[in-house]
Amino acid sequence: MKLKISRRVSAIQPSATLAIAGLARELKAKGKPVLSFSAGEPDFTSPEGALAAARDALDKGETRYTANSGIPELKKAIAAYYKTRFDLDYAPSEIIVSSGAKQILYQAVQTLADLDDEVLLPSPAWVSYVEQVRLADAREVIIDTSATGFVPSREDIEGALSEKTAGMIINTPNNPTGVVYGRDTLEMLADVARRNDLWIIYDEIYERLVYGEAKHYNILQIAPDLRDRVITVNGVSKAYSMTGWRIGYALGPKEAIAKIDDVQSHLNSNASSIAQWASVGAIESGEPYVERNRLEFERRRDLLMDLLSGVEGLRIEQPEGAFYAFIDVRNSSEPDDNEFCRRILEEKFVALVPGDAFFAPGYVRMSYACSENDIREGVERIKEFLRR
Ligand SMILES: Cc1ncc(COP(=O)(O)O)c(C=O)c1O
């Protein structure tokens, strides 16, 4: 007998980023000289403060279930961080810790989106938002921002509204484009949310990785009156190179956080106790580490832009945040992004992610969270590929 898979799950598309990374790993295991620019993770070791706190937690026997929504020490560290960084006040009951920002996003969408609700998603959009919205039996409304510099315009956002619009998921600094939304854009989004009674899930997981003159804002710094309708999502994965520890968190109004907590109570209870303690160590002592790595990413970004600028057929805007370059390949010798990524991996062992995975066909995403040598060698191989 063939098992019947539910309608909801049958419709899921597996994560394209993870699929490419998996294929790249397979080729590498076969001894191929693979250069991977596909993964969304920094290549640094986690900060010493995190490692020491984890060792200490082990020695102290912190190996049991914790409070569902996170240990008080971590919530306290997060609250202090948000006060210092954004001058925002959150009580422990307004904070929840989970196993990665991905999980907290899933729980937030489950909590806020109802059957047939419409959720606005400016695209290019991170792969998991759409699937998470669909898993809540809600519907995504994709707003193409490619004609407006990857920033949503008021016209496009308002044009996408309907009676069913319930909320929007905003991601800045943005994966995959590296764009950082400015004050005007955030004011506009806040205004639309205010007038139309929408919730906002505000994913600022890359907030520490912003370069040059660009400045990141939490949307509540700009529109404090929206405090009751904004769920901010963040985590330690990107800023502290702690992707494997799986700690993400959300801050929001108490009632919504309590419901997100209820969802979590039936999913995984609490996030790993040791990883929570490691995150306390990271947040409390990691500032010099974060700044050092930010500068390193900025150097790599500048190098990549320099190397790519003269390459025929490629177009790219300088990314201002995160660690991705989003390259327009439509005028290159391989204009189809899926074919581009498949072939360059097979022929030149370079792993990139097709823009199609982010609702942006014709582009490829290249992560520069890797060594300078890899960036130099990668661009050489891209040039050879395009010349072939
Ligand atoms: C935009 C965005 N949000 C959330 C996440 C999830 O991060 P975490 O590792 O904390 O689950 C990622 C990871 O790639 C991301 O790019």
Side-chain angles (χ1 to χ4, degrees):
M1 193 186 76
K2 194 159 172 267
L3 274 184
K4 182 178 166 300
I5 306 297
S6 72
R7 173 196 55 75
R8 196 184 282 113
V9 169
S10 300
I12 295 181
Q13 299 294 318
S15 158
T17 348
L18 296 187
I20 293 267
L23 197 57
R25 259 197 301 273
E26 248 173 59
L27 285 169
K28 213 169 196 167
K30 286 184 188 155
K32 305 293 182 196
V34 173
L35 290 177
S36 186
F37 303 102
S38 65
E41 61 180 342
D43 54 329
F44 308 114
T45 310
S46 306
E48 185 47 45
L51 303 180
R55 283 187 206 106
D56 194 41
L58 278 172
D59 290 342
K60 287 184 174 151
E62 300 283 358
T63 52
R64 301 182 175 226
Y65 290 132
T66 72
N68 212 67
S69 59
I71 55 175
E73 291 81 357
L74 181 51
K75 290 188 184 187
K76 201 171 135 213
I78 293 165
Y81 177 82
Y82 265 73
K83 181 68 185 164
T84 311
R85 180 139 171 80
F86 298 114
D87 198 21
L88 294 174
D89 291 291
Y90 280 96
S93 57
E94 296 174 309
I95 298 172
I96 178 166
V97 176
S98 190
S99 303
K102 198 179 255 190
Q103 187 183 336
I104 210 82
L105 283 160
Y106 176 82
Q107 292 171 186
V109 173
Q110 286 288 326
T111 302
L112 298 178
D114 245 324
L115 177 69
D116 290 337
D117 275 356
E118 291 181 0
V119 178
L120 306 182
L121 284 183
S123 88
W126 181 54
V127 283
S128 295
Y129 299 140
V130 173
E131 299 300 342
Q132 294 191 352
V133 166
R134 291 179 185 169
L135 282 168
D137 285 330
R139 276 184 296 157
E140 78 280 2
V141 177
I142 301 287
I143 299 165
D144 182 3
T145 64
S146 56
T148 46
F150 295 135
V151 174
S153 69
R154 180 182 281 275
E155 199 183 350
D156 289 343
I157 291 275
E158 289 187 336
L161 292 171
S162 84
E163 298 211 318
K164 294 193 166 167
T165 313
M168 54 175 97
I169 304 181
I170 301 302
N171 171 219
T172 180
N174 186 269
N175 174 9
T177 63
V179 165
V180 179
Y181 289 5
R183 199 172 241 288
D184 291 354
T185 301
L186 294 175
E187 270 168 12
M188 179 276 289
L189 292 170
D191 186 51
V192 174
R194 191 182 291 119
R195 284 169 191 263
N196 296 281
D197 195 19
L198 308 181
W199 49 257
I200 299 176
I201 293 178
Y202 194 72
D203 179 352
E204 58 180 1
I205 188 110
Y206 295 98
E207 49 104 6
R208 298 311 303 265
L209 303 175
V210 171
Y211 316 117
E213 300 296 301
K215 180 166 168 52
H216 169 81
Y217 300 93
N218 181 287
I219 195 164
L220 292 177
Q221 291 176 289
I222 286 167
D225 62 307
L226 298 195
R227 197 182 189 282
D228 284 346
R229 58 174 77 245
V230 172
I231 306 280
T232 292
V233 173
N234 202 339
V236 297
S237 291
K238 316 288 177 176
Y240 304 98
S241 316
M242 289 178 68
T243 45
W245 300 82
R246 311 305 304 126
I247 295 292
Y249 56 83
L251 308 96
K254 188 175 163 192
E255 300 71 28
I257 294 295
K259 287 297 170 195
I260 293 174
D261 191 11
D262 288 347
V263 177
Q264 181 158 309
S265 74
H266 296 295
L267 265 183
N268 71 330
S269 302
N270 58 271
S272 149
S273 56
I274 303 299
Q276 290 188 64
W277 282 105
S279 302
V280 175
I283 294 172
E284 287 185 344
S285 70
E287 280 305 306
Y289 172 96
V290 170
E291 182 55 13
R292 196 179 64 236
N293 292 350
R294 189 190 71 79
L295 290 171
E296 176 60 25
F297 278 131
E298 184 162 7
R299 265 192 295 276
R300 293 176 186 180
R301 175 201 66 162
D302 292 345
L303 172 69
L304 180 62
M305 288 305 294
D306 203 36
L307 295 171
L308 281 176
S309 64
V311 181
E312 206 185 317
L314 302 184
R315 271 196 26 224
I316 174 170
E317 290 296 323
Q318 168 150 288
E320 297 180 310
F323 39 65
Y324 307 106
F326 206 50
I327 307 168
D328 183 347
V329 299
R330 289 173 298 180
N331 292 319
S332 77
S333 56
E334 189 51 83
D336 179 299
D337 54 305
N338 282 308
E339 276 300 288
F340 192 110
C341 292
R342 191 181 62 76
R343 291 198 171 169
I344 199 167
L345 183 54
E346 281 171 10
E347 294 173 23
K348 297 286 171 197
F349 306 114
V350 169
L352 302 166
V353 184
D356 199 24
F358 308 96
F359 296 87
Y363 291 80
V364 300
R365 189 191 76 174
M366 179 171 184
S367 162
Y368 51 87
C370 54
S371 74
E372 233 183 83
N373 278 346
D374 281 5
I375 292 173
R376 287 182 193 281
E377 171 68 21
V379 173
E380 276 314 305
R381 292 194 204 175
I382 290 172
K383 284 189 196 163
E384 285 169 20
F385 173 72
L386 291 172
R387 275 200 301 264
R388 85 209 190 286

